[in-house]
Amino acid sequence: MIVERAAATLAEHGIETARTDAEWIVAHALDVSRSDLVTLCHEVDEAEVWPSVERRAAREPLAYVLGEWGFRRLMLRCDPRGLVPRPETESVVERCLELLRGVEGPRVLDVGTGTGAIALALKDERLDARVVALDASADALALARENVERLGLDVELVLGDLRDGLPPGPFDLVVSNPPYVRADELDALEPEVRDWEPRAALVDEGQTAVLVRAARDVLRPGAPLVLEAHEEQAAALARDLAAAGYAAVRITPDLAGRDRVVEGLKS
Ligand SMILES: C[S@@+](CC[C@H](N)C(=O)[O-])C[C@H]1O[C@@H](n2cnc3c(N)ncnc32)[C@H](O)[C@@H]1O
């Protein structure tokens, strides 16, 4: 059956999740759930499925092959213009929602929005929030706009480089999943990331350090800056926040127990 053959092809190309990826691709072509595949597989038009199998075999991320990806309660359009939203970033959203509890009509800024994942999930789960999302990549912002329109969620999108300044505050929360891969680590990453995801979304060129300083100018006193970090960099980032004058600096682990979310309050 086609799922087996697709899985075998993907496995030959070194994809560890070959079977589930094959199921996702075939289920997507049939517009059914993965659990319905068993009964429906004989109806598959191979010509429709196989180009997707070949794209995945070339190590294109599954999210780009499918053209959409789930993030919290949302299905986001996904393609190489923006980073594929990660499960650990859902923990960032969770922490933001906790911090916004009790704040009415909060103003929120998402810096480096990519697909719009964080901004859109926050708006979706806090309908009273006024959310602004910034990105320096016109491509990423166009993708975020498609997601804003498709989901019908009111998020203001701003094209701009955080190094030129942030949109005017005051904000009740600033959040970011900044690029945090060192340039010399790029070659060692999986091909899905290294060869397909936008370099500007991956490589740390000092954006986080600038953001830590710039966020102080747009946050309301006592309001949090929430950052996603690589687990090995979280402790150092927490020290940077404390050194920059943020109070109540804290690290929250993600669902896998890894130190991923770093926050501090503007004092
Ligand atoms: C790691 S991705 C995060 C995307 C999305 N927030 C998420 O979590 O899936 C970082 C994003 O920051 C943007 N970015 C990189 N440098 C930037 C800068 N100097 N100013 C504004 N955005 C920047 C990239 O274009 C990219 O979309």
Side-chain angles (χ1 to χ4, degrees):
M1 129 193 198
I2 190 159
V3 172
E4 264 84 43
R5 283 193 290 114
T9 300
L10 298 183
E12 277 165 26
H13 286 81
I15 294 166
E16 285 177 15
T17 51
R19 173 76 201 191
T20 49
D21 284 16
E23 288 176 2
W24 275 113
I25 288 169
V26 178
H28 193 255
L30 290 172
D31 199 17
V32 299
S33 70
R34 273 172 63 210
S35 53
D36 285 340
L37 268 185
V38 184
T39 47
L40 290 169
C41 245
H42 58 278
E43 296 171 20
V44 178
D45 176 358
E46 286 215 23
E48 193 183 340
V49 172
W50 212 254
S52 295
V53 176
E54 285 171 349
R55 284 173 64 187
R56 184 70 190 99
R59 304 300 294 264
E60 185 171 347
L62 182 62
Y64 294 165
V65 174
L66 301 179
E68 58 182 17
W69 201 242
F71 182 78
R72 290 192 67 95
R73 306 192 308 200
L74 305 176
M75 189 56 82
L76 296 167
R77 184 168 291 168
C78 250
D79 64 34
R81 291 175 291 174
L83 189 94
V84 177
R86 308 289 205 271
E88 50 270 27
T89 308
E90 300 192 328
S91 300
V92 175
V93 172
E94 189 65 40
R95 185 63 193 141
C96 290
L97 291 168
E98 283 165 17
L99 287 161
L100 289 175
R101 221 165 270 151
V103 185
E104 271 179 43
R107 285 200 76 216
V108 174
L109 173 64
D110 173 22
V111 180
T113 198
T115 55
I118 296 175
L120 285 161
L122 285 173
K123 180 66 188 173
D124 177 50
E125 296 182 53
R126 273 297 300 264
L127 283 176
D128 64 330
R130 288 163 296 158
V131 183
V132 180
L134 176 82
D135 208 291
S137 156
D139 278 350
L141 213 69
L143 178 59
R145 189 169 307 286
E146 287 167 24
N147 279 317
V148 164
E149 284 164 8
R150 164 184 208 200
L151 296 166
L153 290 165
D154 183 15
V155 168
E156 182 189 343
L157 299 172
V158 179
L159 178 64
D161 189 315
L162 71 92
R163 291 170 291 199
D164 298 332
L166 297 175
F171 290 101
D172 298 293
L173 184 143
V174 173
V175 57
S176 183
N177 172 16
Y180 49 71
V181 177
R182 286 204 327 260
D184 63 358
E185 291 172 336
L186 207 54
D187 283 350
L189 298 179
E190 290 293 314
E192 283 83 349
V193 180
R194 184 190 65 214
D195 300 340
W196 291 93
E197 295 198 285
R199 187 186 157 90
L202 298 172
V203 177
D204 177 5
E205 289 172 341
Q207 297 96 325
T208 309
V210 177
L211 177 58
V212 167
R213 289 194 299 275
R216 284 183 315 206
D217 300 333
V218 299
L219 279 167
R220 226 182 264 289
L225 169 65
V226 182
L227 297 171
E228 180 169 327
H230 187 285
E231 62 180 316
E232 287 163 13
Q233 298 164 0
L237 181 56
R239 284 195 295 276
D240 291 345
L241 257 62
Y246 288 85
V249 174
R250 157 178 168 163
I251 300 175
T252 307
D254 66 9
L255 288 175
R258 291 172 305 201
D259 287 346
R260 282 303 214 156
V261 191
V262 182
E263 74 193 47
L265 306 181
K266 176 184 169 167
S267 49

